[in-house]
């Protein structure tokens, strides 16, 4: 067996050689080959770190939206193989929406090139999307051509603290009913929040649940949307709503969110994580199921994730 290893974050065990064999490291395939500002695309090798690519394209006024929480450690090849999402998937979609073409090696050693740099590439079978999300079972990805978009000129971020997770879920429902489409809607429950506070060494919210919402676009649209988001959160009973007043405050807020998983691991308990996805309108039901499990089996269950696209990380915390 041949097992391909990229950044090796290991969250899904994709780089673990469970049947022995050979582990093939992609570590040195880490070049950004081209950022094409005319055609709005980037050509990269698979072990380019996601955060590094984002910073490189943003430096020339472009934007690569997919942003898994592990963006500072996960690689583009891994993102493609897993079809990674992230907080911005609500508005911008997952990795597959941005993969235009691939170079890959089939099990027999044949090098194939799928897709093209053209946006409208509709002839024949879509082999590119067949490989996206295939988790290393079909081919070894050696080069990726990604679609970019112009960098949104404005963004605004707020956090809303709620007395409990039900209130925070109601806040999500309220903003969806207002037809607001934020760039990101993140939900953090009490167990996750307390762990994050212990990890950060400071109080993060006056309550047992936290909602983080970010809007982006033109200055005018962002101003209107963030007002609607704040009103929706207050209508849902938010105890406290705080807008990030600077990029530093915004970055600090997102750092907390991206470190929730590390914070839960730092509790010393065994963290058994699950990635659960439901239609976004059924997120309230998902949290009701989690609450019933917590009570029925006397379990500590920490839940957080992307409420905007219905992707919640449900973590069983056991000794």
């Amino acid at each position: 067996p041949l097992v391909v290893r990229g950044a090796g974050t290991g969250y899904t065990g994709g780089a673990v050689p469970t049947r022995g064999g050979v582990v093939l490291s992609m570590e040195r395939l880490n070049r950004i080959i081209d950022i094409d500002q005319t055609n709005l695309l980037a050509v990269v090798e698979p072990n380019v770190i996601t955060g590094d690519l984002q910073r490189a394209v943003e430096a020339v006024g472009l934007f690569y939206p997919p942003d898994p929480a592990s963006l500072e450690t996960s690689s583009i090849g891994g993102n493609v193989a897993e079809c990674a999402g992230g907080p911005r998937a609500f508005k911008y979609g997952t990795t597959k929406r941005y993969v235009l073409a691939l170079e890959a090696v089939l099990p027999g050693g044949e090098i194939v090139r799928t897709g093209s740099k053209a946006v409208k590439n509709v002839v024949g079978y879509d082999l590119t999307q067949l490989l996206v999300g295939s988790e290393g079972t079909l081919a070894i990805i050696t080069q990726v051509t990604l679609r970019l978009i112009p960098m949104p000129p404005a963004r605004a971020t707020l956090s809303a603290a709620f007395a409990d997770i039900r209130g925070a879920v109601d806040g999500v429902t309220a903003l969806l009913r207002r037809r607001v489409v934020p760039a990101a809607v993140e939900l953090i429950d009490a167990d996750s929040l307390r762990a994050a506070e212990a990890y950060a060494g400071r109080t993060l919210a006056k309550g047992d649940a936290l909602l983080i919402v970010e809007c982006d676009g033109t200055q005018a649209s962002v101003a209107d949307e963030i007002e609607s988001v704040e009103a929706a959160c207050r209508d849902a009973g938010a105890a406290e709503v705080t807008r990030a007043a600077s990029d530093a405050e915004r970055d600090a807020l997102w750092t907390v969110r991206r470190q929730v998983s590390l914070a839960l691991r730092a509790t010393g308990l065994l963290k058994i994580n699950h990635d659960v996805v439901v239609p976004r309108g059924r997120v309230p039901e998902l949290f009701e199921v989690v609450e019933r499990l917590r009570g029925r089996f006397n379990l500590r269950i920490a839940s957080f994730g992307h409420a905007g696209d219905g992707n919640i990380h449900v973590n069983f915390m056991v000794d």
Side-chain angles (χ1 to χ4, degrees):
L2 183 64
V3 179
V4 185
R5 178 185 174 91
T9 56
Y11 258 47
T12 59
V16 179
T18 56
R19 298 184 181 181
V22 176
V23 175
L24 178 63
S25 172
M26 310 297 281
E27 184 177 6
R28 291 189 293 174
L29 289 176
N30 60 2
R31 294 181 303 148
I32 297 175
I33 297 170
D34 185 30
I35 297 174
D36 186 336
Q37 298 181 54
T38 301
N39 292 303
L40 298 181
L41 57 84
V43 181
V44 304
E45 291 182 329
N47 218 53
V48 169
I49 300 303
T50 310
D52 291 342
L53 174 64
Q54 289 181 341
R55 284 183 285 272
V57 301
E58 287 172 14
V60 293
L62 297 176
F63 187 40
Y64 178 65
D67 65 330
S70 57
L71 63 88
E72 296 299 345
T73 52
S74 65
S75 65
I76 293 295
N79 292 175
V80 172
E82 301 274 339
C83 193
R88 289 196 288 250
F90 177 38
K91 181 174 182 178
Y92 291 105
T94 58
T95 299
K96 65 182 177 182
R97 288 185 59 179
Y98 299 89
V99 181
L100 290 173
L102 294 171
E103 178 190 83
V105 182
L106 299 180
E110 180 185 358
I111 298 173
V112 296
R113 292 174 177 82
T114 70
S116 78
K117 293 183 177 181
V119 174
K120 184 180 180 181
N121 182 36
V122 295
V123 178
Y125 298 114
D126 193 346
L127 299 180
T128 303
Q129 293 303 312
L130 180 65
L131 293 179
V132 175
S134 62
E135 299 191 23
T137 60
L138 299 177
I140 299 170
I141 296 167
T142 52
Q143 192 177 101
V144 186
T145 301
L146 297 166
R147 181 171 68 92
L148 307 174
I149 62 175
M151 185 71 184
R155 62 189 177 193
T157 310
L158 65 73
S159 62
F162 292 84
D164 53 37
I165 195 65
R166 180 74 234 189
V169 171
D170 287 345
V172 175
T173 303
L175 70 89
L176 291 175
R177 285 176 177 165
R178 289 173 179 258
R179 300 297 184 262
V180 178
V181 184
V185 184
E186 293 294 291
L187 192 59
I188 304 174
D189 76 354
D191 270 335
S192 304
L193 189 55
R194 298 290 88 83
E197 289 177 334
Y199 194 73
R202 59 190 174 92
T203 300
L204 301 173
K206 296 177 180 178
D208 280 340
L210 188 67
L211 203 58
I212 302 174
V213 186
E214 182 164 288
C215 299
D216 66 8
T218 63
Q219 290 282 359
S221 67
V222 167
D224 288 342
E225 285 187 354
I226 205 70
E227 287 289 343
S228 294
V229 168
E230 181 169 346
C233 291
R234 293 195 186 280
D235 288 349
E240 180 182 57
V241 178
T242 306
R243 294 195 196 185
S246 64
D247 283 344
E249 288 187 12
R250 173 192 176 272
D251 291 344
L253 192 58
W254 281 113
T255 296
V256 168
R257 162 59 188 90
R258 296 187 192 284
Q259 290 181 342
V260 168
S261 190
L262 293 174
L264 289 171
R265 191 183 301 171
T267 63
L269 296 171
L270 175 62
K271 174 177 173 289
I272 305 173
N273 41 287
H274 297 268
D275 213 14
V276 184
V277 182
V278 297
R280 65 174 68 111
R282 300 191 69 182
V283 169
E285 293 176 60
L286 173 58
F287 276 93
E288 288 169 6
V289 169
V290 170
E291 191 58 40
R292 288 200 298 271
L293 289 172
R294 183 183 283 114
R296 180 181 175 188
F297 297 105
N298 192 28
L299 283 171
R300 180 177 174 183
I301 307 176
S303 301
F304 65 94
H306 323 312
D309 64 352
N311 179 195
I312 305 298
H313 307 298
V314 180
N315 302 269
F316 294 94
M317 308 296 294
V318 297
D319 59 24

